[in-house]
Amino acid sequence: MYSLREVNPMVRGIRISPQRALQKRSEQITALLQQGEQKPFKEVIDISSGDSHRTGIKPISFVRQVLSVCLYPELLHDDTLPGDVRQRAQRLLGECDGGSVGSYTDSCGLPHVQRSVAEFITGRDGGVPSYPRNIFISAGSQTALKVMVKLLVRGEGVSQTGVLIPQPCPHTLPMLLEEVGVVLVPYQLREEQGWALEPGELHRALTASRGHCRPRALYISNPGNPTGHVQSRKSIEWVIQFAAEERLFLLVNEVYQDCVYGEGREFVSYKRVLFEMGQQYSEMVELASFHSISNGIMGECGLRGGYMELVNVDPAVMVFAEILLCTDISTPVTGQIALEIMVNPPRPGDPSHSKYTQEILTNRITLAQNAQRAWEFLIGLPGVSCQPVMGGIFIYPRLSLPPEAVEQAKSDGLEADVLYSQSLLDEEGVCVGAGCEHGRREDKYHIRLCVLTPSATLEKVLARLGSFHLHFLDEFSQHA
């Protein structure tokens, strides 16, 4: 590959996310600070992604204790560790070949972890059965999603596979889909309605895509990333009916299911609603649902563990899902251990139950209070509007920026919210996400902030953001 022309055209066509450029800029500034360069700030605070541990959220003790014993089995004899920690570690080590987390596992994951996930789903969904054979353990939900999309992709030109995706959407989603050769079919979420999914918009997007591609799947994020919207049961029922009528495969991202705090809102899984709608739907609609340890309250991004459950998928097709997972050899065993704990936490009466429950509750309270605090602060800034957040770990305010700032961004080859975010990083050392929209509409500019962060850190961010925002507006107003 002596020139760019020799690189795979599909890879060359992938658009780099503004998020990646901002994070690289953040890393460069951090390096300069460490070298002694003077800035108006002493540290960079990165709340652009869902990496809550990076911002200072502490790991759950039981997870790290069990992992410690599994990594160093000599600790099985350490009486200072709670008994249930050592028992869990011994059980999990017994499931590993050679009694070591350094061994490979089946490409679909440790059978014990698959069983634990299936039991968790059955309990979560009020008894709707889940089976280990339908559970695929992966190195995070993104890996499993890529597997399913690869199975769906086929055709060229007007017959090329299309996937309906929400706008805004997770910032890594467009790159993932483009990498495997999918046509993106965006549908707009209604900001004025709290980022709700409107039935007519899905019909519009599907109709507009015909003649350009063949839509075969519908991607849903519930709770929404980055919007924080939580779908009602009625909304989920409508989406399932739409998928059935249009013969669309449902790809449902439910990684923030343990992060619902909006008044009167609760998480209901797509699978549960599907099976409660009767055989007309429960035996026909194809569904893949995703969950992981990276997102939500646990926040174990670096351990890489997640699962996918397949519903109504032909067993012959599931064989190829397993084959594609084999290309990664196996999911890191440490991630599988953390996943098993997430779906099978300490139970009442266990020595670690009280501490585990308290740590989870503390993180939930911090998340809910931070979301409310950030929302109240943001709507008090001139030129900022923000929908109340119901769930998830992001808040996604809209910016009304001066025309001069928009023109400056265009001359720099940037979107205005990217210019805003770059300036915030350079001047105040705060890294936020910029926009999450594919083919965005004019004058719709947003930033994304992770609110699963220590409250003191959030207060620093809001103080710096407020000062910067007023200065940014004033600076460009003077250019008028």
Side-chain angles (χ1 to χ4, degrees), residues 37 58 70 128 236 261 286 313 354 356 405 432 439 441 473:
E37 184 166 317
K58 300 302 181 186
C70 288
V128 176
I236 294 173
Y261 40 83
E286 294 173 298
V313 175
S354 177
Y356 181 94
V432 299
R441 299 176 182 180
L473 296 185

Side-chain angles (χ1 to χ4, degrees), residues 152-162 181 183 209 211-216:
L152 287 164
V153 172
R154 68 187 212 192
E156 296 180 355
V158 296
S159 65
Q160 187 175 356
T161 294
V183 176
S209 71
H212 303 285
C213 65
R214 182 191 170 195
R216 298 188 67 198

Side-chain angles (χ1 to χ4, degrees), residues 27 74 130 163 262 283 300 326 330 349 356 396 402 418 426 444 456:
E27 292 163 3
E74 290 296 319
S130 176
V163 176
E283 296 182 357
E300 290 284 5
C326 280
S330 69
Y356 181 94
Y396 195 61
V418 176
D426 291 340
K444 293 213 171 180

Side-chain angles (χ1 to χ4, degrees), residues 3 67 71 77 90 95 105 136 199 204 217 258 310 348 351 356 472:
S3 76
L67 281 171
L71 287 165
H77 310 294
Q90 190 166 36
E95 300 291 333
T105 71
F136 296 79
R204 181 208 63 77
D258 63 349
L310 297 183
Y356 181 94
F472 186 88

Side-chain angles (χ1 to χ4, degrees), residues 63-75:
V63 174
R64 293 306 178 90
Q65 288 172 331
V66 173
L67 281 171
S68 296
V69 180
C70 288
L71 287 165
Y72 188 60
E74 290 296 319
L75 292 175

